[in-house]
């Protein structure tokens, strides 16, 4: 058994540790359930999420309507399932854009240092001086609401943390022996950064991506709650909670369904991120 374990590659050892982590597996299952529900929404949802049915308005949970209906008679389960598409699309696109913007700036800052590092880090200090949700609100007040403006606002709000994480990872690797060897062999700085440094700096960046996806979902829900996100009648979890706010005492299920969806999704991404961190961090892995 010992000999078999010693022959495992680092990737195989990391995968084994990830599978053996209960929290990571629970997070992965929760995330997969949400993703599958979003992808298969037309087949999972029993009703049209935007069709008005006044005769069915404000019904409680039943076999016909698993989460009840809202003020306009729309099936809440169907709207929650289709709302997963909006939340996941906004979070994935915004974090992808934030990673591209912040990752490029952070990599350039950590690898070349000098005046470029000073300018980029001072810019990130300015962005980090504002709470992310407040910065997103300010950007949306200038850009206007809507899906793409919401995505851009969240991306800008979370670009600075990615720049910091990427810079720290690159800065730790820029003076290592394999970088010096590549330089001695005549490799250009761009090639060294792209082919050698960034692949070895991927672990902390990947963990940051997973954790920031949870923050992006919360941000999308908060901005939709304020009416700055996807506009009605398109289903969005934050907007659904806002619609149910006047009925919290009499018909709380209108807000409970989307609230549970947000909680499950964020919990899944957080557990998945914690599991990846434990597997990819050598100090925690050795402990």
């Amino acid at each position: 058994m010992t000999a078999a374990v010693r022959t495992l590659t680092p990737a195989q050892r990391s995968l084994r540790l990830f599978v053996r982590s209960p929290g990571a597996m629970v997070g992965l299952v929760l995330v997969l359930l949400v993703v599958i529900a979003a992808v298969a929404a037309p087949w999972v949802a029993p009703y049209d999420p935007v069709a008005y049915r006044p005769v069915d308005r404000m019904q409680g949970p039943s076999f016909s309507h698993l989460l009840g209906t809202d003020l306009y008679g729309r099936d809440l389960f169907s709207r929650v399932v289709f709302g997963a598409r909006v939340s996941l699309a906004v979070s994935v696109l915004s974090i992808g854009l934030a990673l591209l913007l912040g990752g490029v700036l952070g990599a350039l800052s950590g690898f070349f240092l000098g005046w470029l590092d000073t300018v980029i880090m001072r810019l990130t200090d300015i962005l980090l001086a504002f709470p992310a949700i407040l910065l997103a609100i300010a950007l949306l007040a200038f850009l206007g609401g809507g899906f793409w403006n919401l995505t851009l606002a969240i991306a800008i709000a979370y670009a600075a943390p990615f720049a910091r994480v990427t810079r720290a990872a690159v800065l730790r690797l820029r003076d290592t022996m394999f970088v010096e060897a590549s330089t001695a062999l005549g490799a250009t700085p761009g090639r060294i950064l792209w082919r050698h440094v960034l692949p070895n700096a991927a672990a902390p960046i990947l963990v940051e991506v997973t954790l920031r996806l949870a923050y992006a979902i919360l941000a999308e829900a908060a901005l939709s709650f304020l009416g700055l996100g996807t506009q009605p009648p398109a289903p969005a979890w934050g907007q659904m909670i806002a619609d149910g706010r006047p009925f919290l005492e009499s018909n709380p299920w209108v807000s409970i369904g989307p609230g549970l969806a947000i909680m499950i999704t964020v919990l899944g991404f957080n557990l998945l991120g914690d599991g990846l961190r434990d597997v990819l961090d050598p100090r925690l892995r050795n402990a």
Side-chain angles (χ1 to χ4, degrees):
M1 178 65 70
T2 304
V5 172
R6 288 177 179 174
T7 59
L8 293 176
T9 65
Q12 290 173 329
R13 286 198 298 269
S14 297
L15 180 60
R16 175 173 292 188
L17 289 172
F18 182 82
V19 172
R20 290 180 176 179
S21 173
M25 294 307 298
V26 171
L28 180 61
V29 169
L30 292 178
V31 171
L32 286 178
L33 287 176
V34 176
V35 171
I36 292 172
V39 173
W43 299 276
V44 174
Y47 299 95
D48 186 341
V50 298
Y52 293 104
R53 299 181 181 85
V55 68
D56 294 332
R57 62 187 301 272
M58 302 305 289
Q59 290 187 9
S62 64
F63 290 108
S64 300
H65 303 282
L66 295 180
L67 297 178
T69 59
D70 63 6
L71 180 63
Y72 305 102
R74 298 173 295 192
D75 181 64
L76 288 173
F77 177 76
S78 300
R79 289 182 62 78
V80 167
V81 170
F82 273 90
R85 286 185 159 189
V86 176
S87 292
L88 289 179
V90 170
S91 61
V92 170
L93 289 174
S94 61
I95 294 304
L97 184 57
L99 174 61
L100 178 62
L101 178 61
V104 170
L105 293 177
L108 295 176
S109 175
F111 191 77
F112 293 103
L113 298 178
W115 66 268
L116 183 62
D117 177 45
T118 302
V119 171
I120 293 176
M121 286 301 100
R122 297 298 75 77
L123 178 61
T124 59
D125 288 341
I126 294 173
L127 293 176
L128 290 172
F130 299 92
I133 190 67
L134 181 60
L135 180 59
I137 291 174
L139 291 171
L140 287 172
F142 175 74
L143 298 173
F147 178 87
W148 292 109
N149 288 340
L150 176 64
T151 300
L152 179 60
I154 296 176
I156 295 175
Y158 287 122
F162 278 110
R164 286 286 188 179
V165 171
T166 306
R167 177 185 181 273
V170 171
L171 193 61
R172 180 172 52 86
L173 295 169
R174 70 182 301 271
D175 294 325
T176 53
M177 292 184 64
F178 70 87
V179 173
E180 294 178 358
S182 299
T183 303
L185 291 174
T188 62
R191 180 180 176 84
I192 294 173
L193 178 61
W194 178 253
R195 296 294 298 274
H196 301 289
V197 175
L198 286 180
N200 287 282
I205 298 174
L206 178 60
V207 174
E208 184 71 12
V209 167
T210 309
L211 296 175
R212 289 293 166 182
L213 282 170
Y215 285 107
I217 288 174
L218 288 174
E220 186 275 333
L223 294 170
S224 296
F225 181 86
L226 297 174
L228 298 174
T230 304
Q231 299 302 305
W237 291 340
Q239 180 63 46
M240 293 170 66
I241 294 177
D243 292 341
R245 184 175 52 177
F247 312 104
L248 285 177
E249 293 185 1
S250 58
N251 302 309
W253 60 81
V254 179
S255 296
I256 287 177
L260 287 175
I262 295 171
M263 182 194 74
I264 291 172
T265 307
V266 172
L267 177 63
F269 278 115
N270 279 330
L271 290 176
L272 182 60
D274 288 342
L276 288 175
R277 181 199 60 194
D278 295 342
V279 170
L280 297 176
D281 191 329
R283 294 169 298 179
L284 297 175
R285 184 170 64 243
N286 294 333

